[in-house]
Amino acid sequence: MPTDIRALLEPVSVAVVGASADPRKIGGRPIDYMRRLGFPGRIIGVNPARREVQGVACVPDIAEAGAIDLAILATPLDGAEAAVLACLKAGVRGLVLFTAGYAEVGAEGRLAQQRLADAARDAGAALLGPNCLGALNVPARLPATFATTLEVLDPKPGWFSYVGQSGALGAYWLEMADAAGLGIAKWITTGNEAQVTGADAIAYLAADAHTRIIGTYIEDIKAPEAFAAAALAARQAGKTIIAIKAGRSAAGARAAATHTASQAGDAAWYAKFLDDCGIIPVASLTEMIDAARLAGARVEGIAPAPYHAARIGMVTVSGGAGVLVCDAAADHGLAMAELSPDECAALRDFLPFYAPATNPIDVTGAVVSDRSLLPRAVEILGRASTCDVLLLFYGGMASIADDLVAAVRGATAYGKPVVVIWMAGPAAAVAAITAFGVPVFTDIPPAIAAIARLRTAGEFSETMI
């Protein structure tokens, strides 16, 4: 059974152990963030030297804090174990331990970390960390973290969640997801995974009503069977997992060991394991964000059909862009949709005489004067049985931006995934397309790579568990 981590993400009362009056310090940031983001629950500090910090009451010991669901521990290494034990004795069921210096530094640290894990497990509590950046529940306005990105970022609620052993990369993910217009549900950094693992976090997110896409950064998987079961639960709930597997090289594996005491393992085994789990592999946060934009696309709350073979049907205002898309598709093992003789004849009826009646469909610069070209071309591809994905390429054309946006909305009527590449697109028009659920890219390579990632995701093998 996965560890129950609800106390980590859904607390009614939170204590900050090592609370600081300075909002710039590690023990001060969670209090500052909770107050600024509007956490509605009870907050109390634990600091024997103060009665109040940042407008929040303090007690000298966790035993005097009353009923506490979540304790955030910002304590130095020499006092961390005693602080954890005190919280468990007080009945706290969720603990976030920021402190580093455990298994990642050697044998003594591994023993100390194991003691913490055993104590939490025996008490029926959930311990996140050590050596982690904490967690964030955006809909609940709970920032149980000292991530510096929250100094300026107020993430908007949404459907994208993160699980990762790296807190710093997780912080970059927060900024990148927000910049891409992707709302965030949950954010969980697991650090050394003394007790709560990535599998536990994914199991929680599989049942989370807010989460639709899970992005995860993996250095190692400590319990493959539990991870496979969590991935299956996510798939059965209609959720997509996109993963970066770090430590694939010898040097990367050594770095993982000193980062979070992870055993990165055999790269080929991990690649097959993740594929068997139906997880989309990516090599970077940028690829993860791009894949999430496609996997999470919704048009007014209606999900498009899956990508399947991902035969691309393209309408473009640039013949050169059509050539580049064909090349990029071939590089990724994707096909351009083959149109029937009747469909080609229908194109010939309305395209300019100098435009080839084939896919990619180049409506040329004539689209500026003949606004019917674009929707008619989209209709041909939308109805074509050989077309799995509709790709619209624009460049500039601010004077007809409203018509271009309308063509995208029209493309969504055919129940196929729609992707837009708009180079130098007007910001308002791009925002309008994004608002009704269609991802917009600014260049060809990332768009085609994202389509390929979703097309190649393997089916989950239930024999894994």
Side-chain angles (χ1 to χ4, degrees):
M1 288 291 292
T3 300
D4 185 350
I5 67 170
R6 286 176 295 178
L8 295 171
L9 290 147
E10 304 171 27
V12 174
S13 55
V14 179
V16 179
V17 180
S20 173
D22 186 345
R24 295 168 297 180
K25 290 186 176 180
I26 291 177
R29 288 179 181 274
I31 295 173
D32 178 53
Y33 297 161
M34 281 188 282
R35 298 189 70 207
R36 186 152 46 80
L37 297 185
F39 174 63
R42 174 174 170 253
I43 308 170
I44 190 164
V46 178
N47 185 326
R50 306 186 67 97
R51 292 186 177 274
E52 174 271 333
V53 295
Q54 301 185 55
V56 170
C58 264
V59 293
D61 188 278
I62 188 71
E64 300 177 36
I68 296 294
D69 300 313
L70 171 64
I72 302 171
L73 291 95
T75 55
L77 181 61
D78 59 5
E81 185 168 352
V84 168
L85 295 176
C87 288
L88 295 175
K89 184 177 180 181
V92 177
R93 288 293 175 262
L95 299 90
V96 173
L97 181 58
F98 297 150
T99 311
Y102 285 93
E104 77 276 15
V105 301
E108 187 175 342
R110 284 194 294 273
L111 290 173
Q113 180 172 300
Q114 190 60 52
R115 288 197 299 271
L116 297 180
D118 292 343
R121 193 171 291 110
D122 291 346
L127 171 66
L128 187 64
N131 187 27
C132 76
L133 202 55
L136 172 67
N137 181 340
V138 175
R141 316 300 291 171
L142 171 71
T145 177
F146 66 95
T148 58
T149 189
L150 292 184
E151 292 172 353
V152 294
L153 185 66
D154 182 0
K156 68 177 183 180
W159 43 260
F160 199 13
S161 289
Y162 171 87
V163 175
Q165 287 165 279
S166 173
L169 281 177
Y172 309 149
W173 177 95
L174 278 174
E175 295 190 14
M176 293 172 69
D178 186 75
L182 302 179
I184 296 161
K186 307 295 190 299
W187 179 86
I188 307 165
T189 70
T190 56
N192 287 12
E193 298 192 354
Q195 185 211 8
V196 172
T197 66
D200 295 320
I202 290 172
Y204 169 84
L205 295 173
D208 178 45
H210 295 102
T211 299
R212 214 158 64 215
I213 310 295
I214 301 167
T216 182
Y217 167 86
I218 300 167
E219 290 183 356
D220 69 344
I221 296 175
K222 293 178 170 58
E225 289 188 0
F227 189 97
L232 174 59
R235 287 290 292 264
Q236 289 177 334
K239 302 181 182 185
T240 301
I241 304 175
I242 306 167
I244 296 173
K245 173 58 181 81
R248 292 177 290 109
S249 66
R254 289 193 297 271
T258 58
H259 179 219
T260 58
S262 297
Q263 301 301 312
D266 179 75
W269 182 90
Y270 268 103
K272 184 179 186 305
F273 177 81
L274 295 177
D275 185 64
D276 287 342
C277 287
I279 292 172
I280 298 169
V282 293
S284 68
L285 289 176
T286 297
E287 287 188 6
M288 180 183 287
I289 297 297
D290 286 345
R293 292 164 65 195
L294 268 63
R298 294 291 190 277
V299 178
E300 296 179 346
I302 301 173
Y307 283 74
H308 293 316
R311 296 166 295 182
I312 298 172
M314 180 183 184
V315 181
T316 177
V317 300
S318 163
V323 175
L324 290 176
V325 164
C326 289
D327 289 346
D331 288 343
H332 287 282
L334 301 174
M336 301 301 292
E338 294 284 345
L339 299 183
S340 70
D342 287 346
E343 289 161 345
C344 291
L347 288 173
R348 183 74 285 146
D349 284 344
F350 65 84
L351 286 176
F353 72 91
Y354 48 82
T358 187
N359 178 43
I361 303 173
D362 181 10
V363 294
T364 76
V367 71
V368 174
S369 56
D370 185 351
R371 310 296 173 83
S372 71
L373 291 176
L374 202 53
R376 293 176 74 180
V378 166
E379 182 180 8
I380 296 292
L381 291 176
R383 297 186 184 281
S385 61
T386 56
C387 173
D388 301 308
V389 179
L390 282 166
L391 176 63
L392 281 71
F393 178 91
Y394 303 148
M397 294 191 165
S399 63
I400 61 166
D402 289 348
D403 296 283
L404 301 181
V405 172
V408 177
R409 182 174 284 280
T412 66
Y414 299 98
K416 300 176 179 182
V418 179
V419 179
V420 173
I421 303 170
W422 199 336
M423 292 183 171
V430 170
I433 293 172
T434 302
F436 59 73
V438 172
V440 181
F441 292 82
T442 58
D443 205 352
I444 292 166
I448 301 303
I451 293 171
R453 290 292 183 188
L454 267 65
R455 192 265 301 180
T456 57
E459 292 299 318
F460 192 96
S461 171
E462 294 192 32
T463 62
M464 293 295 298
I465 61 173

